[in-house]
Amino acid sequence: MPYYKTPIIYPTGLIREDTQKINDNFTQLASAFVNEDPTTNTVINADKVDGYHASTTPGPTTIPVLDANAILNLVNSPAIITKHYTFRRIFGNTLTSDYPLARGEEIVYSWDTNVRLSMPLYISSPGGVYQMIIINVYQNASDISTYLNPNNTTYSNAIITSIVGWQDMYTSAIGGTYTESAFNLYNATSGGITEVFLSTYKYAKFSVFIQRSSRKTGGGCIFFGGSRWEDPNTEWTSLGTLTTNAGNGGVIILVRRVF
């Protein structure tokens, strides 16, 4: 039916015709509401809200909607960014220069230690706290040492490492304290899983880790440890490069900036 913006014609209009136009207008307006009842205050089939479309498929300038399973599926969105936190996962193997990881962002790497013994992380690290998780395949030989070289280099006798742990079926602790040139992650690439927290603040440069080794020879081990970079003047600007002294297949690494 037509819509009459000004249905009443005065003074020449006919009452019956003008009244019909008014009724047509009210009927058409009522059809825009749920149950054709304006008192519900609920409009049906709204094309846009404040100029934006709603959709279950995320896209630019689109209002996301829960899908049929009541899940907010943002699989096609590259990131969710708030004032203080960013939810995004990046594949680190494609990086060629240091990436400024935001709080909450994480990078995942695939490292074949049989192909190369080092893995640059390509993360710029202004003062902050980072979480690193290293997952390695089962190891059937002796321990394989793993280090993190901050700023992609070594610093002679500048880093103190302390480690304590237990070998399966033994009750006495093993480990010690060492002066080294890089952050010692012990046998993070010799099989098992290692979780590390790194502080890169200029005057608080240190790491702590917990590790479960799965190697068969001599039994598996569990270790706790950490390193402290004694130099209070050098800035830790690049998170660095992971190095290992022997190949042991594929490694998965996740790095997340916490603060």
Side-chain angles (χ1 to χ4, degrees), residues 11-246:
T12 58
L14 299 176
I15 293 176
R16 185 177 68 178
E17 292 180 1
D18 287 352
T19 301
Q20 184 61 49
K21 291 177 181 178
I22 294 171
N23 287 338
D24 290 346
N25 277 15
F26 278 119
T27 300
Q28 186 162 333
L29 290 173
S31 67
F33 293 85
V34 172
N35 298 326
E36 296 188 342
D37 182 1
T39 63
T40 63
N41 294 320
T42 303
V43 178
I44 60 175
N45 297 325
D47 182 57
K48 293 182 179 180
V49 177
D50 288 339
Y52 298 98
H53 288 287
S55 175
T56 56
T57 303
T61 63
T62 300
I63 302 171
V65 179
L66 300 183
D67 64 15
N69 298 312
I71 295 174
L72 185 61
N73 188 343
L74 300 177
V75 66
N76 293 320
S77 297
I80 301 174
I81 301 175
T82 68
K83 183 177 181 181
H84 300 292
Y85 212 72
T86 298
F87 298 86
R88 175 172 22 216
R89 175 171 287 190
I90 299 169
F91 186 54
N93 289 58
T94 62
L95 297 175
T96 57
S97 59
D98 280 2
Y99 178 81
L101 202 63
R103 291 179 180 87
E105 274 191 301
E106 57 188 34
I107 300 181
V108 176
Y109 305 84
S110 176
W111 177 21
D112 189 345
T113 60
N114 288 329
V115 174
R116 56 178 179 173
L117 299 180
S118 63
M119 182 69 192
L121 299 177
Y122 288 124
I123 298 175
S124 61
S125 58
V129 176
Y130 298 80
Q131 179 188 24
M132 180 186 300
I133 298 174
I134 303 172
I135 302 174
N136 203 344
V137 296
Y138 182 79
Q139 165 69 316
N140 195 37
S142 59
D143 291 335
I144 298 176
S145 299
T146 308
Y147 290 88
L148 174 66
N149 298 342
N151 295 336
N152 310 302
T153 188
T154 56
Y155 294 87
S156 180
N157 298 322
I159 297 170
I160 302 296
T161 297
S162 296
I163 297 172
V164 63
W166 288 264
Q167 191 172 342
D168 290 353
M169 297 178 292
Y170 292 85
T171 58
S172 57
I174 54 178
T177 298
Y178 317 93
T179 301
E180 300 179 294
S181 301
F183 281 80
N184 190 340
L185 305 182
Y186 209 53
N187 55 351
T189 50
S190 88
I193 184 169
T194 300
E195 182 174 20
V196 191
F197 284 93
L198 304 159
S199 170
T200 65
Y201 293 104
K202 183 176 181 179
Y203 299 106
K205 301 189 289 288
F206 59 84
S207 71
V208 292
F209 73 81
I210 182 171
Q211 176 181 107
R212 175 64 196 185
S213 170
S214 66
R215 72 179 177 87
K216 181 178 179 181
T217 303
C221 306
I222 185 168
F223 288 101
F224 306 88
S227 298
R228 176 172 57 87
W229 189 353
E230 292 192 296
D231 181 358
N233 299 313
T234 303
E235 297 276 5
W236 189 345
T237 58
S238 178
L239 200 60
T241 299
L242 285 171
T243 63
T244 185
N245 63 340

